[in-house]
């Protein structure tokens, strides 16, 4: 089974990927970790990998027999949409994403939640901007193998199908 979870920042991609990974016993990969490498010395808390290194890491993931990948819909990973058996598109209302981004940022700022980046005001601003970026156009050619999840309940109902 090969699943691609795609959605805006704070739509629940990682949470859903982890849940499905546990229930299906399939490894999951966050493509944020393919793009960025943790770097405590960097002002942002991470460093962007070279395009070549990103391509190599992504190609290695796609060679696996089973996987779950999650991403915001970066163009360099479009090949994954062709390769997978199923796409989950998390299409949450923007106001809900704003709320989630702000609460996440606050929790990361006080150390309650881990982060792959430094939770600065500049990062909060970027994340709020990214919530309005949709991948709807990107998934159009793949609607036959796409399930659209529009809220937390949809996510839960989908993952409950695989209850152990």
């Amino acid at each position: 089974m090969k699943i691609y979870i795609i959605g805006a920042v704070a739509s629940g991609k990682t949470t859903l990927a982890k849940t499905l990974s546990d229930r299906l016993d399939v490894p999951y990969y966050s493509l944020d970790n393919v793009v960025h490498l943790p770097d405590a010395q960097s002002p942002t808390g991470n460093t962007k990998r070279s395009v070549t290194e990103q391509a190599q890491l992504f190609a290695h993931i796609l060679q696996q027999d089973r996987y779950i990948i999650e991403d915001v819909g970066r163009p360099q990973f479009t090949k994954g949409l062709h390769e997978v058996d199923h796409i989950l598109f998390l299409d949450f209302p923007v106001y809900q994403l704003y709320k989630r981004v702000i609460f996440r940022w606050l929790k990361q700022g006080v150390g309650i939640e881990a982060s792959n980046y430094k939770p600065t005001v500049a990062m909060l601003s970027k994340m709020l901007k990214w919530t309005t970026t949709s991948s709807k156009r990107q998934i159009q050619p793949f609607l036959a193998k796409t399930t659209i999840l529009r809220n937390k309940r949809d996510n839960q109902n989908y993952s409950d199908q695989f209850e152990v």
Side-chain angles (χ1 to χ4, degrees), residues 101-139:
V101 164
I102 292 167
F103 280 120
R104 175 187 287 171
W105 181 78
L106 290 170
K107 288 191 270 184
Q108 290 169 343
V110 297
I112 295 172
E113 184 175 306
S115 174
N116 292 337
Y117 51 84
K118 292 183 181 170
T120 63
V121 173
M123 183 55 78
L124 173 62
S125 177
K126 287 179 184 180
M127 290 178 70
L128 289 170
K129 179 182 174 191
W130 294 332
T131 60
T132 60
T133 304
S134 175
S135 302
K136 282 183 184 176
R137 192 174 314 138
Q138 194 175 5
I139 64 162

Side-chain angles (χ1 to χ4, degrees), residues 1-119:
M1 175 175 285
K2 298 176 181 180
I3 299 173
Y4 195 134
I5 301 173
I6 189 169
V9 171
S11 59
K13 298 178 303 295
T14 302
T15 300
L16 183 57
K18 286 178 182 178
T19 300
L20 293 175
S21 176
D22 289 344
R23 291 183 181 179
L24 298 170
D25 193 29
V26 174
Y28 85 91
Y29 303 91
S30 171
L31 298 185
D32 283 348
N33 295 331
V34 170
V35 174
H36 297 100
L37 187 63
D39 180 359
Q41 305 305 314
S42 167
T44 60
N46 59 41
T47 302
K48 196 168 191 173
R49 295 179 195 266
S50 72
V51 172
T52 302
E53 189 176 5
Q54 290 177 40
Q56 289 171 341
L57 290 168
F58 188 57
H60 177 73
I61 292 169
L62 294 183
Q63 289 173 356
Q64 307 304 308
D65 292 330
R66 301 169 358 126
Y67 57 78
I68 299 168
I69 52 178
E70 59 98 348
D71 189 49
V72 294
R74 293 176 180 96
Q76 70 264 39
F77 301 129
T78 300
K79 182 178 181 189
L81 295 170
H82 292 272
E83 301 286 324
V84 297
D85 304 313
H86 200 71
I87 298 166
L88 300 175
F89 178 53
L90 307 186
D91 189 23
F92 284 38
V94 173
Y95 76 88
Q96 191 174 39
L97 299 175
Y98 283 163
K99 180 180 163 185
R100 286 179 171 198
V101 164
I102 292 167
F103 280 120
R104 175 187 287 171
W105 181 78
L106 290 170
K107 288 191 270 184
Q108 290 169 343
V110 297
I112 295 172
E113 184 175 306
S115 174
N116 292 337
Y117 51 84
K118 292 183 181 170

